[in-house]
Amino acid sequence: STADLIPSALQEQTARFPFGRLQARAFLERIGCNTLIRGHEKVEEGFRRVYDDGRILLCTLFSAGGDANDDLPLFSSYRFVAPTALTIRWQEGRTKITPWVIDYKPYVDPERNAFYRTRTKIKHKA
């Protein structure tokens, strides 16, 4: 959340509870870390720095979807995602996080992936 704190009563209303910046900081300090990279939260740009205040860094990474993903229904909102991966390098006491967009087109090319050489007998249902 963009809020500093999410009351526990609101967090208890869902299994996927939001948390605030101060809660993220307290959690990371408790486990002795300053960076958390989470997945499974859809962000269309594929990578987002949620909190980056010099004390903590919280990033969201989403690597599914994309306009070339033939496993998705044609009108899925996941087709608008830029699926992204990360390269993380640690050198001389410094960490560098470099996001990069995954090119799934070669993976759905029938010449490279036999799964796509014949049409599936199961149709997507909307």
Side-chain angles (χ1 to χ4, degrees):
S1 171
T2 56
D4 283 342
L5 187 71
I6 303 297
S8 59
L10 287 177
Q11 290 180 348
E12 292 168 1
Q13 292 178 7
T14 178
R16 298 182 72 204
F17 67 86
F19 53 87
R21 183 179 49 83
L22 297 177
Q23 289 157 314
R25 182 184 297 164
F27 171 75
L28 288 171
E29 287 174 356
R30 177 184 288 163
I31 64 171
C33 294
N34 61 9
T35 301
L36 175 65
I37 299 172
R38 66 178 176 174
H40 252 17
E41 183 75 25
K42 179 181 148 194
V43 290
E44 287 190 358
E45 63 272 29
F47 176 78
R48 181 183 297 165
R49 287 178 181 261
V50 180
Y51 306 133
D52 187 1
D53 65 6
R55 291 185 66 184
I56 66 166
L57 173 61
L58 170 65
C59 300
T60 299
L61 176 70
F62 196 74
S63 58
D67 63 350
N69 187 336
D70 289 338
D71 292 331
L72 293 171
L74 286 176
F75 302 105
S76 171
S77 67
Y78 286 83
R79 288 190 173 272
F80 297 104
V81 173
T84 303
L86 288 177
T87 300
I88 302 173
R89 289 194 171 92
W90 188 81
Q91 187 174 15
E92 298 178 9
R94 299 187 61 75
T95 303
K96 182 177 181 182
I97 299 172
T98 307
W100 48 275
V101 175
I102 301 170
D103 181 9
Y104 279 123
K105 288 179 185 149
Y107 298 102
V108 296
D109 180 351
E111 294 297 317
R112 300 181 77 188
N113 186 337
F115 183 77
Y116 291 99
R117 288 190 189 138
T118 58
R119 293 184 57 77
T120 181
K121 294 178 183 177
I122 301 171
K123 294 182 180 180
H124 283 112
K125 292 184 179 182

